[in-house]
Amino acid sequence: MASHNFSAVTIIDTCNNSLYFEVTERDLEEDCFQRSKQVWNYWITCYNHKFLMFDGERDFQLRDLTKSQAHVSENQFQIHIYDSSLLDKKGRAVMLYVNKPDQKDGKKIVVCCRNDKEIYAEEMDVPQNIDGLSDKALFYRTELAATNKYMFESTAHQGWFLGFNPSPESCLLKLVLRHINKDQVDEPCEFHLCESKK
């Protein structure tokens, strides 16, 4: 239940068409996201059948990969579902990440967005709970009707979706946040998810 700017009250009496309330002290459950047990392994592709992958340093990029390159575990993304205390029609809250190549500490390389709406890779443990209404690493996943494509809207920046722009440092396409108006079609923000059987 949302507790921001609200107080729980109890009606204690009525008199002459008036209601008398008493503020009750009660621990209210804050809005939050809780990690579910649902996690899926995917190859994520975008237009031109390029694969989303982590460059090993700091960026997520689209690249052409051979079948053998695509099947390397570091090129597979995990999408972890988060359950919410909110009844939100935006889609399922998810976190996208890849396994670290060395895998010794169990940390993941997570897709995150900064306050300036820049996408970056952050090494972290996947949290069990996330308090609040948004988070730098959570996105609402929505399926585009009858297309088998998905879009990912930032929970931290409404109306901003994961997509691709040319990278200023190379000829590759870099994962970014793109602003999209409601019901706008934007092919660089549409993703195919190909489930990987592990």
Side-chain angles (χ1 to χ4, degrees):
M1 176 175 168
S3 61
H4 304 287
N5 302 319
F6 293 96
S7 297
V9 295
T10 304
I11 298 174
I12 58 170
D13 201 359
T14 59
C15 181
N16 296 330
N17 295 329
S18 296
L19 295 172
Y20 292 88
F21 298 91
E22 176 180 70
V23 176
T24 52
E25 295 298 322
R26 203 169 8 149
D27 288 333
L28 297 177
E29 186 179 316
E30 292 286 332
D31 294 326
C32 68
F33 297 93
Q34 184 174 29
R35 188 177 73 197
S36 77
K37 293 180 181 176
Q38 295 180 342
V39 59
W40 306 100
N41 296 301
Y42 290 105
W43 291 287
I44 300 177
T45 61
C46 201
Y47 62 99
N48 296 333
H49 305 288
K50 293 181 185 288
F51 287 82
L52 177 62
M53 61 176 293
F54 177 58
D55 71 359
E57 294 178 20
R58 61 187 175 102
D59 289 327
F60 295 97
Q61 299 173 333
L62 271 186
R63 291 192 179 177
D64 289 312
L65 298 178
T66 65
K67 274 192 174 182
S68 60
Q69 289 172 323
H71 284 78
V72 173
S73 63
E74 288 84 21
N75 294 332
Q76 296 172 23
F77 277 76
Q78 291 179 300
I79 297 181
H80 214 123
I81 304 289
Y82 275 75
D83 296 321
S84 173
S85 60
L86 302 172
L87 295 174
D88 206 317
K89 297 178 182 173
K90 289 181 177 274
R92 292 297 304 260
V94 299
M95 187 174 289
L96 296 91
Y97 55 86
V98 294
N99 292 318
K100 278 179 58 179
D102 58 20
Q103 290 258 348
K104 292 178 185 167
D105 59 7
K107 292 191 176 187
K108 310 294 183 187
I109 306 297
V110 180
V111 176
C112 295
C113 56
R114 293 190 173 95
N115 289 338
D116 64 1
K117 300 179 183 75
E118 182 182 350
I119 293 295
Y120 69 102
E122 183 173 326
E123 183 179 319
M124 67 169 75
D125 292 314
V126 177
Q128 181 65 39
N129 296 305
I130 296 174
D131 294 331
L133 301 171
S134 64
D135 186 79
K136 64 184 176 184
L138 281 181
F139 299 86
Y140 289 116
R141 182 188 69 186
T142 54
E143 187 172 5
L144 300 175
T147 63
N148 198 26
K149 294 179 184 175
Y150 295 85
M151 293 179 72
F152 296 90
E153 182 179 7
S154 170
T155 62
H157 305 288
Q158 283 190 343
W160 290 80
F161 292 79
L162 290 178
F164 290 94
N165 281 343
S167 172
E169 297 94 26
S170 70
C171 60
L172 298 173
L173 294 170
K174 179 179 175 180
L175 189 64
V176 297
L177 280 182
R178 293 170 59 98
H179 186 265
I180 299 178
N181 295 321
K182 191 174 181 180
D183 300 326
Q184 179 182 348
V185 175
D186 191 4
E187 191 177 21
C189 292
E190 298 174 1
F191 297 86
H192 289 277
L193 304 179
C194 305
E195 189 172 354
S196 163
K197 309 291 185 190
K198 274 201 168 183

